Amino acid sequence: DAGITQSPRYKITETGRQVTLMCHQTWSHSYMFWYRQDLGHGLRLIYYSAAADITDKGEVPDGYVVSRSKTENFPLTLESATRSQTSVYFCASSGTGMVETQYFGPGTRLLVL
Amino acid sequence: AQSVTQLGSHVSVSEGALVLLRCNYSSSVPPYLFWYVQYPNQGLQLLLKYTSAATLVKGINGFEAEFKKSETSFHLTKPSAHMSDAAEYFCAVNQNTGFQKLVFGTGTRLLVSP
């Protein structure tokens, strides 16, 4: 199906473990984004990518790693998960331009014990 | 850096009543502004956006927002609330970095009672 998908939808892990969240879009959008959503903070940008092999930090990048070897995929890795990384993670994609609509995936709910 | 402030983390209305969700922005240059809606257990979807073409912007599901430069506001309204409007609403501003790098407000949860 066309659109933007995330996997897994739910994940429970333990502190210190590595976790990778997957994001896939079928529109061939240039830009992709990772956000985390926490109560009282709204959505905060973790990393974004302008194209394959081009990534940059957002507002809260510490503890996260991203890669983008293909236009359609943008995985987010927590190298050593911490309890403070318990959150809901959203991936989004958009075309180029400052008024392009960002299209969001359904989210991944991550619990770090 | 640009930012948006959403007044009221929760707003309660009765079905059929006016919906007013407030958003104020801080920007030294004309901003691009957006309203997104998030239904339970879903991602965000665009309601409407201000791109300087018109100050009154109409969106989906009967929502609209008016850009008021003098008040630095972009409040979201709907004349008559429906039960299906219950959701969380986010205002966002583009940081004018050459592409769409959004800064979101903290969100307002709209509760609609019968």
Side-chain angles (χ1 to χ4, degrees):
Chain A
D1 289 342
I4 182 164
T5 57
Q6 295 182 236
S7 62
R9 293 294 313 277
Y10 303 91
K11 178 73 176 178
I12 300 174
T13 191
E14 296 176 338
T15 55
R17 291 190 180 257
Q18 183 179 83
V19 177
T20 296
L21 310 184
M22 305 300 294
C23 179
H24 175 80
Q25 53 106 353
T26 61
W27 293 300
S28 298
H29 282 159
S30 296
Y31 282 91
M32 295 188 74
F33 308 85
W34 274 107
Y35 295 92
R36 59 178 290 172
Q37 183 178 27
D38 304 289
L39 201 60
H41 290 280
L43 276 80
R44 292 179 291 175
L45 182 65
I46 304 171
Y47 270 96
Y48 65 95
S49 168
D53 298 322
I54 301 175
T55 62
D56 205 351
K57 296 178 181 179
E59 181 185 354
V60 289
D62 293 344
Y64 303 95
V65 174
V66 294
S67 61
R68 195 169 176 204
S69 57
K70 294 183 178 180
T71 299
E72 61 267 29
N73 296 324
F74 191 38
L76 175 74
T77 298
L78 289 66
E79 292 189 302
S80 178
T82 65
R83 290 195 178 125
S84 65
Q85 293 178 310
T86 292
S87 186
V88 182
Y89 292 86
F90 287 99
C91 179
S93 70
S94 76
T96 56
M98 293 171 63
V99 294
E100 291 289 326
T101 298
Q102 284 192 19
Y103 295 91
F104 285 77
T108 294
R109 192 173 294 270
L110 176 67
L111 174 62
V112 183
L113 299 175
Chain B
Q2 297 181 14
S3 64
V4 290
T5 302
Q6 292 185 243
L7 293 175
S9 59
H10 292 80
V11 170
S12 295
V13 300
S14 300
E15 194 172 19
L18 171 72
V19 175
L20 171 61
L21 304 182
R22 300 178 186 274
C23 174
N24 289 88
Y25 67 90
S26 66
S27 174
S28 58
V29 296
Y32 297 116
L33 294 158
F34 305 78
W35 275 101
Y36 281 82
V37 61
Q38 183 182 30
Y39 298 104
N41 297 316
Q42 294 185 27
L44 281 70
Q45 62 183 82
L46 182 71
L47 269 179
L48 50 82
K49 57 185 172 184
Y50 168 72
T51 62
S52 75
T55 56
L56 184 62
V57 182
K58 295 187 183 298
I60 61 172
N61 301 336
F63 284 92
E64 62 182 36
E66 186 171 9
F67 175 74
K68 291 187 177 180
K69 186 177 178 181
S70 60
E71 298 177 7
T72 61
S73 68
F74 190 57
H75 301 331
L76 183 70
T77 60
K78 182 174 181 178
S80 177
H82 192 273
M83 296 295 289
S84 61
D85 295 326
E88 188 145 22
Y89 292 80
F90 293 93
C91 182
V93 64
N94 189 317
Q95 285 199 320
N96 287 333
T97 54
F99 69 97
Q100 200 194 77
K101 190 174 179 183
L102 297 178
V103 174
F104 286 86
T106 53
T108 298
R109 184 169 297 278
L110 177 66
L111 307 169
V112 183
S113 57

